[in-house]
Amino acid sequence: MNETVKLARYRNTSYFVKYTGNGQERQYTWSGSKNGRPDIIAVPRDVVDWLTMNTSCFDKGQLVIFEDEVVVKEIKDTITEVDAYENNTHTKDEIEKLLGGNINKLKAELKKITVDSEKQFVIDTASDMKDDLTKGKLDALAEWMGVSADILFE
């Protein structure tokens, strides 16, 4: 039997993969996280290998390997941009912790995020917490996004 790997979608938007292999075409759809819980789907290992070789879904944090440490390390070894993968895959809880923490650490971590959909996920999470965020953090988020703090959550 073919080994399966659990892939998670941490962002709150949907994502799909159209895989053609072994003479078959299959589609996998992640509906996105809800209430901070990732959407997780088990896919065959050959799909993960195909995604690694033919897409940038791991590099851009669109999908996250949701397995034990041995499997994660093995698959990470095949990802070209591991740093990009790690910098662009945050759970809602991780983002909330970052937003609730030190402003200097927040600024440093925000600089590492390079994917627009991950940036939007951070802003969506911040929008839910905006009443608890200091003006300094709101200004830092606005500067990071390149917009005025007045229109950050519009």
Side-chain angles (χ1 to χ4, degrees), residues 15-19 47-60 62-63 78-81:
Y15 189 79
F16 79 94
V17 170
K18 189 180 224 178
Y19 169 73
V47 173
V48 175
D49 293 340
W50 181 85
L51 288 169
T52 303
M53 291 185 289
N54 297 296
T55 73
S56 60
C57 72
F58 295 119
D59 297 342
K60 294 189 177 196
Q62 302 294 349
L63 295 174
T78 66
I79 297 174
T80 310
E81 296 289 332

Side-chain angles (χ1 to χ4, degrees), residues 100-149:
N102 179 292
I103 191 166
N104 293 328
K105 180 168 173 51
L106 172 65
K107 287 179 179 180
E109 290 299 315
L110 291 177
K111 286 181 185 176
K112 295 177 186 177
I113 298 173
T114 57
V115 177
D116 289 341
S117 58
E118 183 74 358
K119 288 180 179 183
Q120 188 59 51
F121 185 44
V122 170
I123 295 302
D124 291 345
T125 304
S127 178
D128 294 342
M129 302 174 59
K130 66 184 170 191
D131 295 335
D132 298 327
L133 297 176
T134 64
K135 180 170 177 8
K137 288 179 183 176
L138 293 173
D139 289 344
L141 286 167
E143 182 181 325
W144 174 62
M145 289 298 288
V147 299
S148 166

Side-chain angles (χ1 to χ4, degrees), residues 63-110:
L63 295 174
V64 178
I65 305 153
F66 197 83
E67 287 285 336
D68 62 58
E69 289 301 313
V70 174
V71 173
V72 170
K73 183 180 178 344
E74 183 181 316
I75 294 173
K76 274 188 180 180
D77 288 343
T78 66
I79 297 174
T80 310
E81 296 289 332
V82 174
D83 287 340
Y85 167 78
E86 290 175 349
N87 292 333
N88 291 292
T89 54
H90 298 91
T91 64
K92 185 173 183 173
D93 289 341
E94 290 170 336
I95 293 170
E96 287 173 348
K97 183 177 178 185
L98 192 60
L99 291 168
N102 179 292
I103 191 166
N104 293 328
K105 180 168 173 51
L106 172 65
K107 287 179 179 180
E109 290 299 315
L110 291 177

